[in-house]
Amino acid sequence: MHRELIHLTVNGERYEVAVPPQKLLLDVLREDLGLTGAKRGCDDSSCGACTVLVDGLPVLACAAIASCHQEAQITTVEGLAAGGELTPVQVAYGEAGGSQCGFCTPGFMMTIHALLAQNPNPSDAEIREALSSNLCRCTGYMQIYEAIRLAMKRAQQPAEARS
Amino acid sequence: MSTHSIIGKSIPLTDTPGKVTGLGIYANDIAVPGMLFGKILHSPHAHARIVRIDTSKAEAMPEVKAVATGRDTARPYGVLPIGHDENALAFDRARYIGDNIAAVAATSEEAAERAIELIEVEYEVLTAWTDPLVSMNAEKDWIHENRPHNIEKEYKHEFGNLEEGFAQAAFVREERYVAAEINHAAMEPHSTLAVWEPDGRITVHSSTQVPHYLHRTIADVLELPMSQVRVIKPMVGGGFGGKSEVIPLEVITPVLAKKARRPVKITYTREEVFYAHRGRPITIVDLKMGLTREGKISAVAARVIQDGGAFGGYGPVTVLYSGALLGALYDVRNLRFEGRRVLTNKPACGAMRGHGTVNVRFAFESLLDMLARDAQLDPAEVRRRNLLQAPCITVNGLRVTSYGLPECIEKAVERSGWREKNGKLPYGRGIGIACSHYVSGAANPIIRSNMPHTTVNMKIDRDAAVTVFTGASDIGQGSDTIQVQITAEVLGVRPERIKLVAADTELTPVDLGSYSSRVTFMAGNACLEAAKNMREQIFAAVAKKFGCAPEALEARHEEIFVKNDPAQRMPFDEAVVRAIDFHGTLVARGSYAPPEEARGGKFKGAGVGPSPSYSYGAQTAEVSVDPETGEVTIHRVVAAHDCGKALNPVSVDGQVIGSVYMGLGQAMQEQMEWNEGRLMNPSFLDYKIPTTLETPPIESIIVESEDPEGPFGAKEAGEGSLAAAIPAVANAIYDAVGVRITTLPLSREKILAAIREKRKREQAAGGSKKTGGAA
Amino acid sequence: MSLPALHVVRPKTVDEAVRVLAQHGPQAMILAGGTDLLPNLQMRLYAPQVLVALKEISGLRGARAAKDGALRIGALTTLSELLAEPVVRQKYAVLAKAAATVAGPLQRNMATLGGNLCLETRCRWYNQSHFWRQSLGGCLKKDGTVCHVAPGGKRCWAVWSGDTAPALLALDAEIEIAGPAGERRIPLESLYRNDGMNRIALQAGEILTAVLLPAAKAGWRGVYNKLRLRNSIDYPLAGVAVAMDVDGGGVCRDVRVAISAVNPAPLLVHQAGETLIGKKYSRELIERVAHAAIQRGKPLTTSGSTPVYRREMLELYTRRGLEEVWGGRTHSADRND
């Protein structure tokens, strides 16, 4: 199959890979870059498990062609915990029960981090709306909201009060 | 109040870091050198004889390294020993659209897809039986020759005296309820990687809830000794029953790997997941119930037909559960059950969360609600008047050891504002209540034997790290964490000290799998026993040093100390070293088998239903119904669940809320839509699992009845609350607009039609009670 | 599932894109946001040799005032960007409301306005995998000769499933099209052919580059009611856009009603104007327009739910839409919070 050399910037690192020009961003991330965090849960762009950030905006990596994203800054779930330290949302997710099977979690992580970056204090209704493209079959979403609220609360407290 | 350090604490699930960072590995995340990609050719016909398969063109492709057909999977299997009726690749006959006909392994997914297209199959089309009521009267083209008239199984059970029971009733009702077929829709599509090892062994990584059954089946179909087969369960992205029996790709992949002598991976598309199915069957329930003037259920008669699809699978168990769990929730003395499992030319149904009980519970709780109104009793009160007096043995032989239902009803009523709302909300708004229960594991194993249902091994070496080897399969429900908590509690150490090795048949002892809500109870008890054994060994060494009896010691906060002389204490690490100096590496073992008394009656079919313990739940739902559209808005669900003892409360809440969520999906919007055996909605766009925007606030209330046999008093939490969600909503809809919907899902179309019909009836009768002004 | 092998061209200018499209003719397809096209390609609904990805063309994003006072919105503006435009939210309510109902927030971050106006028509016998369709021998629209919705018929009823198109029809929007013969500007209404097979009247090599909202429609009251099972992700099962200009005395100065997801095209209900213009609020007149809507809408078994129910909701949503813009009554038909 015909391949093309493309450049991608993922989690701040520059990659050069030869892939078929039509290859989906999700498949390049998972198969060529070894970033298997983003998941494939459906085949019709309707579950959100593959969510990544493109220039800070959460999008579906299964509905994006990799070769069309060579100029973009791509962030995957692997890029969130910079230097290995979990983000407040990642920590709160564990405490509040945000993950059960965890398969949707990478997608939710991206949507939630993008939401809080854009709006640090979203209302409950805004949270529900922002998360409404991401399906979770385990949690019934309640403990995901719980985790977000917990992370928001901590973000509003001064750093020393947290430790 | 609690004397526990770690039990009862909401520690995060131990595998959370892997989940939130994306570094956790699921089956489809694994890639190994030389790996091939497998694809499966599916049948376009619902029922056809396979006359000829020509794979030569596919085989001629240089990228193709193996091709398999039914000849390579000729040994049939099935999850029940009585029902080995499946071939991973159809042997001579295709039995549903999507059935597996042939498979290829190639060097790329794209090449495998092309190769599949090159396989030529000649079919002779047979009559397709797609409607269970027609199928069960079929005179020819039976789906399995040894199942005349396509009837997989039939049971008839009668307990007490039905005639007398109905004679005592002041109110008798009989209704037909029909539930649509639904799918587990776990977020992770099934995936299997089979690695053919150079020494002739095979290692299979698979998204399974049942590594042990998979282990047996692969060995059997590939005709290898079990010792040459290793099954590893990586992280699993949800199961809900959809991965609780062997799924065709789990056999096809190792067959291809064996043929190609190379690693092969197959990952299902979402559509293929729907063809693998094993979800909740179309269920027709004819239910008759009598209620005395005092509100006591005097007799229950249920006739249940389940549309099982093309294979037996768990089917006989599903239908038996639907009868057996008519008992053990309320005090029912006169009970008749007739159950029939019918084969049809559709993907096989199987176990799904709340296995067998959910659709019957929808019928039961709906009909009980009607009878309560006949008797002019508060629906919550009727349920209170039919409580069991636990401990007891039910009329159908189920042993109830702990029973938190009264408290569940009380708490749900309290929290929901039931007394202020029931029957008092304005037209268009309503509240409903329903109860449900479930087993904490099956008391009888599928494969009859005296083997423990689960065993846990434990090891401590000089690093004082505790390694727990468990066969139990964490599929997201958190069972690994529970075993860590139990071990930490008993040994008095921090959870961080414990390393759990799970679900790898080469390293871990046999556990029957994650289904029927058995893991916390059974693996929990095994873990408890192993940890106690381990503690004994450590205490023996410490007692020698302190010159006390081992019984005088306690382990807590990383120390061992003398209970009534706490000044005598020793760090855990030091205690371990002392014990090792006596014995070498410390090893311990625990196992669990349900007690004889829990295993139920002796009649045919009595094996299904008995459990060492039952969970209980009561639930309220508050809804609005738009009388012009039939659209239902659920405002709030309150679910009280008796889990015996919450070993990890956040995790219990998550299980309860998740169960309710799944129940609401089935109640309102999920259904597999069939058209002549063709699934019309095999995708997440068209199979409508609820998004955040349809999911109401769900509040979980934990009730702790402390089961005498559960680990620290615990019993199941992950399934029991599902069933009540559906009738709670159905009953709330009745309270809101006065219509009874008896088929699932409770769709807008049906509700709107029912509202109109009711209005017509009332206009004809010249009066109305609760009818809205609108429209 | 992967995409079929093909070439991806990423032109930097509209001219370049037009050139590539013209050169490859029917072998080329336009890729904008990808949320419709890429799943369809994975299902092998098309077999193009070339995808012309418009993403890198500058100047096709964002909204600004055109010379004639119209609001010109670039076709590559994503639906999220559209929703973030204050002028859209403030002046063109029906568009903002419709755009907010398209799929879910992630899809709206990708989907473009131009793409939403050029969506493929949908049918449950068509939007299925290659295997699924093959097992049935295909359908009229793809690989077959039989329409499973209307067997015996020779017309494809695959349904128009966009939400912004009815809103824009209700605003008398125009579109700019660039092509080998230069630019042209046409009413949006004439883009749609009401044919499930051949849905839009774009010629070979043509690209929809912009949408123009006439200044005269700014400030009209507007509402969009959408029938769907889930409040996110789902395509419409029926949709009704209503826009009205009401004077201080409550008289309808002008009105548009457009329906979606019940025909192979989004359609204006022309009787709305004839019936309502110059009139004061009247329930009976509203009923008449609602009735006209179901004369115009022909829901079939192309979609979920039932044709009967979708037809009823079409009528009800028309009535509710008009009640809301004219009578000031609101219904929470589409949201449960």
Side-chain angles (χ1 to χ4, degrees):
Chain A
M1 190 180 274
H2 168 71
R3 282 165 193 270
E4 209 174 86
L5 196 65
I6 66 165
H7 296 87
L8 291 174
T9 308
V10 184
N11 303 329
E13 281 183 49
R14 191 98 174 123
Y15 294 88
E16 189 178 79
V17 282
V19 298
Q22 79 280 3
K23 195 162 183 177
L24 296 172
L25 178 58
L26 176 63
D27 295 334
V28 172
L29 291 172
R30 290 181 52 84
E31 294 166 12
D32 299 280
L33 306 189
L35 297 169
T36 55
K39 304 288 188 243
R40 186 183 267 280
C42 69
D43 301 299
D44 53 8
S45 306
S46 58
C47 82
C50 66
T51 308
V52 300
L53 304 186
V54 170
D55 296 326
L57 206 62
V59 300
L60 301 164
C62 74
I65 288 180
S67 64
C68 296
H69 289 77
Q70 302 188 56
E71 310 301 319
Q73 294 288 332
I74 295 161
T75 312
T76 69
V77 67
E78 290 92 342
L80 289 178
E85 189 165 345
L86 299 184
T87 68
V89 173
Q90 289 175 318
V91 172
Y93 229 63
E95 293 167 345
S99 277
Q100 286 183 25
C101 86
F103 200 77
C104 70
T105 302
F108 270 93
M109 280 296 130
M110 304 321 286
T111 306
I112 294 167
H113 280 87
L115 168 70
L116 295 179
Q118 190 220 335
N119 177 3
N121 201 12
S123 67
D124 289 355
E126 284 169 334
I127 293 172
R128 284 176 79 199
E129 171 65 31
L131 267 47
S132 67
S133 292
N134 293 85
L135 295 175
C136 169
R137 190 59 162 167
C138 295
T139 63
Y141 307 109
M142 298 302 131
Q143 293 183 326
I144 294 177
Y145 306 151
E146 225 26 75
I148 297 171
R149 285 188 213 109
L150 191 59
M152 282 161 57
K153 207 165 89 188
R154 288 193 186 140
Q156 280 154 14
Q157 286 164 358
E160 67 270 25
R162 263 180 270 155
S163 52
Chain B
M1 146 213 130
S2 168
T3 56
H4 303 310
S5 313
I6 293 135
I7 289 300
K9 301 281 185 299
S10 293
I11 68 166
L13 298 186
T14 52
D15 51 7
T16 307
K19 290 168 181 165
V20 297
T21 56
L23 300 177
I25 297 298
Y26 299 79
N28 190 33
D29 298 336
I30 309 171
V32 297
M35 186 172 83
L36 304 173
F37 299 85
K39 281 280 169 196
I40 300 166
L41 177 70
H42 299 286
S43 167
H45 301 293
H47 200 188
R49 209 180 311 284
I50 300 166
V51 178
R52 185 182 64 91
I53 302 185
D54 182 352
T55 57
S56 56
K57 285 181 191 155
E59 278 165 65
M61 274 176 66
E63 299 97 324
V64 170
K65 304 300 174 193
V67 178
T69 65
R71 274 197 298 273
D72 302 297
T73 60
R75 290 173 71 87
Y77 65 90
V79 69
L80 303 183
I82 54 166
H84 283 198
D85 62 354
E86 277 186 67
N87 294 90
L89 292 166
F91 192 60
D92 54 356
R93 197 195 286 213
R95 293 185 168 89
Y96 61 96
I97 295 175
D99 202 351
N100 308 284
I101 305 299
V104 305
T107 50
S108 73
E109 195 179 354
E110 174 271 334
E113 278 170 12
R114 266 190 293 133
I116 282 297
E117 296 279 314
L118 296 177
I119 296 174
E120 291 166 15
V121 188
E122 189 184 320
Y123 295 97
E124 177 196 331
V125 173
L126 303 170
T127 314
W129 306 104
T130 58
D131 177 337
L133 299 180
V134 177
S135 183
M136 68 193 201
N137 293 310
E139 294 294 343
K140 59 160 190 170
D141 287 355
W142 292 333
I143 297 167
H144 295 276
E145 295 303 343
N146 61 351
R147 291 283 181 269
H149 311 291
N150 295 329
I151 292 168
E152 171 70 28
K153 273 286 173 200
E154 271 184 299
Y155 296 97
K156 186 168 178 178
H157 296 155
E158 189 160 340
F159 309 99
N161 187 324
L162 269 286
E163 259 178 53
E164 260 176 41
F166 280 116
Q168 287 161 15
F171 310 95
V172 176
R173 276 187 180 267
E174 188 169 7
E175 292 283 338
R176 169 167 284 200
Y177 296 86
V178 182
E181 188 165 345
I182 61 161
N183 180 255
H184 323 81
M187 293 305 296
E188 178 201 26
H190 303 66
S191 181
T192 301
L193 165 65
V195 181
W196 185 262
E197 309 283 1
D199 60 4
R201 296 171 187 236
I202 193 156
T203 301
V204 178
H205 308 255
S206 193
S207 56
T208 178
Q209 299 176 233
V210 287
H212 177 61
Y213 297 152
L214 181 57
H215 189 189
R216 297 175 83 113
T217 303
I218 291 172
D220 192 37
V221 178
L222 270 66
E223 301 185 70
L224 289 170
M226 277 177 80
S227 62
Q228 304 303 295
V229 177
R230 177 184 188 182
V231 173
I232 302 172
K233 176 207 72 75
M235 283 171 77
V236 171
F240 314 113
K243 297 163 183 168
S244 70
E245 55 183 301
V246 172
I247 298 298
L249 90 164
E250 297 183 290
V251 175
I252 296 169
T253 314
V255 163
L256 287 170
K258 188 182 173 191
K259 288 193 101 172
R261 295 288 194 266
R262 280 178 67 172
V264 178
K265 183 162 77 176
I266 299 181
T267 300
Y268 275 160
T269 62
R270 181 51 62 182
E271 181 180 8
E272 288 178 303
V273 173
F274 280 100
Y275 297 146
H277 191 41
R278 319 282 153 166
R280 201 169 341 274
I282 292 175
T283 308
I284 302 163
V285 184
D286 289 312
L287 186 65
K288 184 177 174 187
M289 201 187 310
L291 196 71
T292 66
R293 199 161 296 285
E294 296 72 38
K296 289 281 294 175
I297 298 167
S298 62
V300 174
R303 241 191 341 264
V304 176
I305 295 173
Q306 292 175 344
D307 176 358
F311 299 103
Y314 272 110
V317 175
T318 316
V319 77
L320 282 169
Y321 264 129
S322 71
L325 288 205
L326 288 167
L329 180 59
Y330 302 118
D331 187 11
V332 177
R333 303 288 172 93
N334 303 305
L335 177 62
R336 180 166 64 221
F337 167 70
E338 293 163 81
R340 183 181 272 195
R341 183 83 168 186
V342 181
L343 294 159
T344 52
N345 288 113
K346 293 187 285 192
C349 293
M352 180 170 169
R353 204 174 196 176
H355 192 187
T357 68
V358 173
N359 294 336
V360 174
R361 188 52 48 198
F362 160 60
F364 194 106
E365 298 291 308
S366 297
L367 198 63
L368 184 58
D369 206 70
M370 294 173 85
L371 286 164
R373 286 164 204 272
D374 291 342
Q376 296 186 308
L377 285 168
D378 175 333
E381 178 56 27
V382 156
R383 287 165 171 90
R384 269 191 225 106
R385 291 189 188 184
N386 287 284
L387 297 172
L388 290 166
Q389 296 301 316
C392 62
I393 293 183
T394 68
V395 69
N396 59 339
L398 309 181
R399 187 190 65 142
V400 178
T401 48
S402 60
Y403 188 65
L405 184 62
E407 195 181 338
C408 288
I409 296 174
E410 209 38 57
K411 293 228 157 118
V413 159
E414 225 22 75
R415 176 83 70 88
S416 65
W418 172 266
R419 290 189 190 87
E420 299 75 54
K421 290 174 176 170
N422 172 42
K424 296 172 188 153
L425 295 169
Y427 181 79
R429 196 163 176 124
I431 189 166
I433 191 167
C435 300
S436 57
H437 65 323
Y438 201 64
V439 300
S440 304
N444 301 294
I446 291 168
I447 302 162
R448 288 287 169 122
S449 80
N450 289 320
M451 179 180 92
H453 292 211
T454 187
T455 300
V456 169
N457 291 342
M458 225 169 258
K459 178 211 95 175
I460 308 181
D461 218 319
R462 288 192 80 99
D463 60 1
V466 182
T467 314
V468 177
F469 298 88
T470 176
S473 296
D474 198 324
I475 54 169
Q477 84 279 37
S479 62
D480 284 359
T481 308
I482 295 304
Q483 292 171 86
V484 165
Q485 283 185 269
I486 288 172
T487 307
E489 182 68 45
V490 173
L491 296 179
V493 298
R494 287 178 298 115
E496 293 75 17
R497 194 183 276 280
I498 294 157
K499 164 82 177 142
L500 195 98
V501 178
D504 175 340
T505 60
E506 193 157 286
L507 304 175
T508 61
V510 170
D511 172 271
L512 297 183
S514 278
Y515 61 93
S516 73
S517 272
R518 55 179 293 285
V519 182
T520 291
F521 200 97
M522 298 194 183
N525 267 327
C527 197
L528 184 61
E529 186 179 285
K532 281 180 175 168
N533 286 343
M534 181 62 87
R535 189 175 64 186
E536 262 174 41
Q537 297 176 43
I538 297 170
F539 277 8
V542 176
K544 210 168 248 180
K545 156 82 175 166
F546 289 154
C548 66
E551 300 76 44
L553 295 170
E554 190 168 328
R556 207 173 247 270
H557 303 312
E558 299 268 316
E559 285 187 315
I560 319 282
F561 56 91
V562 180
K563 266 183 266 186
N564 48 21
D565 182 10
Q568 296 224 66
R569 55 205 312 127
M570 184 187 292
F572 182 78
D573 299 68
E574 192 186 327
V576 162
V577 169
R578 261 175 198 284
I580 289 174
D581 284 348
F582 280 115
H583 307 286
T585 300
L586 303 180
V587 293
R589 185 180 66 221
S591 65
Y592 178 81
E596 201 60 54
E597 315 85 79
R599 297 182 191 178
K602 296 285 173 234
F603 54 92
K604 181 184 169 228
V608 175
S611 171
S613 177
Y614 299 86
S615 74
Y616 291 92
Q619 226 168 109
T620 62
E622 193 173 339
V623 308
S624 291
V625 180
D626 181 336
E628 286 188 307
T629 63
E631 188 179 355
V632 176
T633 303
I634 303 170
H635 298 288
R636 183 190 185 204
V637 174
V638 174
H641 184 99
D642 165 24
C643 66
K645 166 84 186 167
L647 304 183
N648 183 325
V650 161
S651 187
V652 170
D653 284 336
Q655 289 302 307
V656 173
I657 294 167
S659 295
V660 172
Y661 163 84
M662 203 170 265
L664 296 178
Q666 181 179 0
M668 303 315 302
Q669 59 200 66
E670 290 176 31
Q671 62 178 321
M672 292 167 75
E673 297 175 59
W674 297 101
N675 186 301
E676 294 172 8
R678 182 171 281 101
L679 184 59
M680 295 301 290
N681 56 340
S683 69
F684 270 178
L685 191 54
D686 293 322
Y687 183 84
K688 309 283 185 186
I689 75 175
T691 76
T692 55
L693 296 177
E694 297 79 57
T695 306
I698 302 166
E699 296 167 37
S700 151
I701 301 171
I702 294 174
V703 169
E704 297 185 315
S705 63
E706 307 234 352
D707 189 81
E709 294 175 16
F712 297 98
K715 45 193 191 179
E716 87 83 45
E719 305 193 57
S721 277
L722 193 154
I726 302 167
V729 172
N731 294 339
I733 291 170
Y734 177 79
D735 190 46
V737 290
V739 301
R740 291 276 173 200
I741 308 300
T742 54
T743 65
L744 297 178
L746 308 166
S747 70
R748 303 171 195 196
E749 293 90 335
K750 292 176 196 167
I751 294 168
L752 183 61
I755 289 171
R756 288 198 179 143
E757 202 182 301
K758 174 177 157 56
R759 213 166 266 159
K760 238 184 256 168
R761 268 200 321 270
E762 285 169 354
Q763 277 161 4
S768 79
K769 281 179 198 161
K770 193 175 178 183
T771 302
Chain C
M1 270 188 291
S2 52
L3 295 184
L6 43 74
H7 292 277
V8 180
V9 183
R10 301 186 298 273
K12 302 276 190 246
T13 65
V14 172
D15 286 349
E16 192 187 340
V18 167
R19 232 179 5 255
V20 178
L21 281 169
Q23 179 194 335
H24 294 280
Q27 303 304 331
M29 292 187 80
I30 296 172
L31 173 67
T35 52
D36 184 36
L37 182 69
L38 296 184
N40 286 354
L41 272 173
Q42 289 178 70
M43 293 179 179
R44 303 294 188 268
L45 295 181
Y46 331 105
Q49 286 170 7
V50 177
L51 284 190
V52 182
L54 303 186
K55 201 173 179 302
E56 291 174 21
I57 299 177
S58 54
L60 292 186
R61 284 169 97 138
R64 59 181 171 74
K67 280 190 205 106
D68 58 359
L71 183 69
R72 185 180 186 282
I73 306 170
L76 288 187
T77 307
T78 66
L79 296 176
S80 295
E81 289 164 355
L82 182 75
L83 286 165
E85 287 287 348
V87 60
V88 172
R89 287 210 305 270
Q90 288 154 16
K91 302 283 188 191
Y92 299 99
V94 65
L95 176 60
K97 287 175 184 171
T101 73
V102 175
L106 296 179
Q107 289 85 359
R108 291 196 295 272
N109 284 344
M110 312 177 78
T112 65
L113 181 60
N116 201 242
L117 294 179
C118 296
L119 276 184
E120 182 57 89
T121 52
R122 299 183 66 83
C123 176
R124 51 190 351 203
W125 301 92
Y126 171 71
N127 293 92
Q128 300 283 1
S129 71
H130 179 58
F131 161 74
W132 196 102
R133 286 178 287 108
Q134 229 180 11
S135 78
L136 193 69
C139 73
L140 205 55
K141 187 166 163 69
K142 175 75 182 157
D143 298 336
T145 53
V146 178
C147 173
H148 303 283
V149 170
K154 281 292 154 221
R155 184 163 176 211
C156 169
W157 295 97
V159 76
W160 175 262
S161 301
D163 297 302
T164 58
L168 288 168
L169 289 182
L171 293 171
D172 283 346
E174 295 185 304
I175 53 173
E176 281 177 11
I177 294 168
E183 290 209 346
R184 60 186 179 117
R185 180 166 161 171
I186 60 167
L188 176 65
E189 193 181 4
S190 55
L191 178 67
Y192 298 112
R193 306 180 71 253
N194 206 15
D195 174 351
M197 303 267 269
N198 192 356
R199 66 201 190 279
I200 49 174
L202 282 187
Q203 307 300 316
E206 286 192 325
I207 301 171
L208 193 163
T209 53
V211 175
L212 294 130
L213 305 184
K217 297 291 183 291
W220 280 32
R221 295 179 191 177
V223 77
Y224 180 69
N225 284 320
K226 171 172 177 173
L227 176 65
R228 51 179 163 173
L229 271 185
R230 297 184 291 190
N231 291 321
S232 185
I233 302 176
D234 288 0
Y235 284 94
L237 296 167
V240 181
V242 173
M244 189 185 275
D245 186 19
V246 186
D247 76 9
V251 172
C252 169
R253 270 201 294 249
D254 202 354
V255 65
R256 299 282 185 284
V257 173
I259 58 175
S260 188
V262 284
N263 298 81
L267 296 174
L268 278 164
V269 179
H270 295 294
Q271 290 92 326
E274 299 156 22
T275 311
L276 304 181
I277 290 170
K279 303 284 177 22
K280 274 204 157 181
Y281 169 83
S282 146
R283 210 170 154 168
E284 193 231 313
L285 293 178
I286 288 176
E287 289 295 342
R288 254 198 265 167
V289 177
H291 188 69
I294 56 171
Q295 300 304 309
R296 191 94 162 115
K298 299 269 179 264
L300 297 168
T301 56
T302 52
S303 318
S305 189
T306 64
V308 171
Y309 185 77
R310 285 161 63 217
R311 188 166 182 271
E312 284 197 49
M313 291 306 108
L314 191 67
E315 185 175 21
L316 179 71
Y317 286 2
T318 305
R319 202 168 71 217
R320 283 185 172 181
L322 286 165
E323 289 283 0
E324 187 173 337
V325 298
W326 206 14
R329 288 175 187 75
T330 55
H331 277 277
S332 54
D334 196 49
R335 275 282 185 273
N336 71 352
D337 52 355

